[in-house]
């Protein structure tokens, strides 16, 4: 009987290994940055909307889903916010039955700068107040 040497897994080339290491480092840095921006957006939502905006930290992805009280029609909010330069995704466009998303929005935290996030959430809350009368407080102070 002839014995063959055990098979071994070929080692990646040095160049491929370097690419993998750079990609892994980039991915780790990106995940940290996205988590930081997600946390910033959630802090801004808390400060500007308080308890009227329900949301939770996403388990993945780059969007936060926000549910407002039924009084806020996010299709109307989208129209007014767009006219004022504030971007949002109305929930009715992202659910299977549009009526289920009429008081929901999703906001992307990946691309905007910190300033755009903070200013945008503040402007969005002000637009909500002007259109629907809520939130009438900001960081525990009357609007």
């Amino acid at each position: 009987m002839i014995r063959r040497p055990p098979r071994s897994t070929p080692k990646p080339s040095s160049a491929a290994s370097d690419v993998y290491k750079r990609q892994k480092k980039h991915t780790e840095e990106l995940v940290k940055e996205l988590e930081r921006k997600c946390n910033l957006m959630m802090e801004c939502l808390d400060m500007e909307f308080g308890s009227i905006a329900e949301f939770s930290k996403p388990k993945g992805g780059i969007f936060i889903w926000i549910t407002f009280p039924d009084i806020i029609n996010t299709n109307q909010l989208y129209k007014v916010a767009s006219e004022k330069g504030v971007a949002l995704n109305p929930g009715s466009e992202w659910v299977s039955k549009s009526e289920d998303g009429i008081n929901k929005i999703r906001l992307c935290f990946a691309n905007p700068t910190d300033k755009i996030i903070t200013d945008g959430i503040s402007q969005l809350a002000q637009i909500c107040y002007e259109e629907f009368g809520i939130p009438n407080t900001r960081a525990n102070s009357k609007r």
Side-chain angles (χ1 to χ4, degrees), residues 103-122:
N103 66 325
K104 296 173 175 44
I105 62 172
R106 65 180 210 160
L107 297 176
C108 179
F109 54 83
N111 191 42
T113 64
D114 290 2
K115 181 166 178 37
I116 289 173
I117 290 172
T118 55
D119 291 353
I121 298 292
S122 178

Side-chain angles (χ1 to χ4, degrees), residues 72-119:
I72 295 179
N73 178 317
T74 57
N75 291 331
Q76 181 181 343
L77 178 62
Y78 169 74
K79 183 178 181 221
V80 175
S82 294
E83 291 169 356
K84 295 185 178 188
V86 177
L88 62 92
N89 293 289
S92 62
E93 294 181 4
W94 298 96
V95 295
S96 57
K97 291 174 22 181
S98 62
E99 61 272 12
D100 291 343
I102 202 70
N103 66 325
K104 296 173 175 44
I105 62 172
R106 65 180 210 160
L107 297 176
C108 179
F109 54 83
N111 191 42
T113 64
D114 290 2
K115 181 166 178 37
I116 289 173
I117 290 172
T118 55
D119 291 353

Side-chain angles (χ1 to χ4, degrees), residues 12-68:
S13 71
S14 178
S17 179
D18 289 346
V19 168
Y20 172 78
K21 288 176 186 174
R22 283 194 309 272
Q23 184 65 34
K24 184 176 180 196
K25 181 180 179 203
H26 172 72
T27 301
E28 290 168 354
E29 291 169 354
L30 183 60
V31 167
K32 286 179 186 174
E33 178 64 3
L34 289 173
E35 183 171 19
R36 185 191 68 75
K37 290 173 88 173
C38 178
N39 289 337
L40 173 64
M41 184 173 277
M42 291 188 308
E43 289 169 11
C44 292
L45 287 165
D46 276 335
M47 182 173 69
E48 296 292 343
F49 286 94
S51 63
I52 74 154
E54 295 178 17
F55 59 90
S56 57
K57 187 170 190 170
K59 294 179 181 172
I62 57 172
F63 292 94
I64 297 176
W65 276 92
I66 299 115
T67 301
F68 293 112

